[in-house]
Amino acid sequence: SRRTDVVGELRRQLMATEEDDSLSYPPLNVTTGNDTCILFYASNFSLKANSSVLIDLTNATFVMQNVDISSSECSDINTTLSLKYTKPVNGISSLEIRFLMTNKFYGGSARNWSTLDSVEIVQDEEKFAKFNVSVISAPAEYSFHCQLVGTSNLYPARLIPSNNEARNWDVFISKLQIQGFNIENNQFSYASDCTGFFTPGIWMGLVTSIILLWILAYGIHMIMQLTTNSRFDDPKGAALSVPQTE
């Protein structure tokens, strides 16, 4: 019917729009010879210096690719993604951002895991800021994805200042996806997401359910503790006599 055709057309348009949004630009790739060893993607990649100077690096990194990645290093154990920018904003002549990743074997899981250990920012080749990274790890054959990564306490994956210079920087990365090991066909592998199974909404639902179950159990327990009189007045028998004393 015509209505079905219209609905189908709308669905195709929505799917096409979603695909266009997700593929607005390709990820940044670092190659050694003919092989890709690092893939990096973000829908927004911005920094803020001294809580005032906003530096949006998204266009320079992914669209124009006006970034120097020649200092990046790849190996089976350690990988460094180096992004160098020349005069990203007025007042800063050069800016380098490094993502340091390692690939280690962990006996507990009996497999290799890739971990983003730290992020470094070098301004004008003299000011060095270092951030430790929380919860950014994935099986070595996977990529890592997170909706929000940065210095904010509200982000699921945080960059934690490791020295005084790092406190002068704020980092904002949205829809981050990065892979530094075991890349095949120049494409991201299956993504391990930073969002765990127990989200805040799930925890709230579990806590609420436990409280309601406790109230129900307490009510049933109180009902079971109710007692009845041991003697009743029989209408066909003699009336109960209750002695009264002065």
Side-chain angles (χ1 to χ4, degrees), residues 9-193:
E9 182 64 25
L10 288 174
R11 288 178 177 174
R12 285 192 291 271
Q13 291 177 0
L14 289 173
M15 291 175 65
T17 302
E18 291 175 355
E19 290 177 357
D20 290 342
D21 290 341
S22 63
L23 300 175
S24 56
Y25 45 76
L28 179 71
N29 65 81
V30 177
T31 60
T32 54
N34 296 325
D35 298 326
T36 300
C37 62
I38 303 175
L39 287 173
F40 174 64
Y41 177 87
S43 63
N44 181 27
F45 182 30
S46 303
L47 309 177
K48 183 179 286 188
N50 300 314
S51 301
S52 59
V53 181
L54 180 63
I55 309 172
D56 190 346
L57 301 173
T58 310
N59 188 66
T61 305
F62 302 105
V63 181
M64 303 300 295
Q65 294 196 355
N66 187 20
V67 57
D68 181 9
I69 58 175
S70 60
S71 296
S72 299
E73 299 177 353
C74 297
S75 73
D76 294 335
I77 300 175
N78 298 295
T79 294
T80 300
L81 172 61
S82 173
L83 307 174
K84 292 183 179 180
Y85 306 88
T86 302
K87 293 183 179 180
V89 292
N90 293 331
I92 298 179
S93 59
S94 67
L95 187 67
E96 181 182 6
I97 304 172
R98 306 184 192 125
F99 295 82
L100 285 75
M101 294 171 280
T102 58
N103 180 14
K104 294 181 181 180
F105 178 81
Y106 291 89
S109 59
R111 70 189 309 172
N112 282 56
W113 287 75
S114 62
T115 304
L116 178 60
D117 295 321
S118 61
V119 175
E120 300 173 351
I121 300 176
V122 183
Q123 177 187 344
D124 299 329
E125 299 183 355
E126 58 180 19
K127 296 181 179 180
F128 175 78
K130 182 177 180 179
F131 300 86
N132 294 325
V133 183
S134 67
V135 302
I136 296 187
S137 62
E141 62 272 17
Y142 291 176
S143 63
F144 176 84
H145 175 271
C146 197
Q147 191 71 15
L148 293 172
V149 177
T151 50
S152 172
N153 293 330
L154 302 177
Y155 290 175
R158 289 192 58 213
L159 304 182
I160 305 170
S162 179
N163 60 4
N164 291 330
E165 185 64 30
R167 303 182 188 279
N168 298 326
W169 291 92
D170 294 316
V171 183
F172 311 94
I173 308 176
S174 59
K175 295 184 179 180
L176 168 71
Q177 188 166 3
I178 189 169
Q179 185 173 355
F181 305 95
N182 303 313
I183 297 174
E184 297 181 356
N185 301 322
N186 299 328
Q187 295 180 347
F188 280 116
S189 301
Y190 177 84
S192 175
D193 201 274

Side-chain angles (χ1 to χ4, degrees), residues 218-230:
Y218 180 76
I220 294 175
H221 174 74
M222 294 301 295
I223 291 175
M224 294 178 65
Q225 296 300 314
L226 294 176
T227 58
T228 59
N229 294 330
S230 59

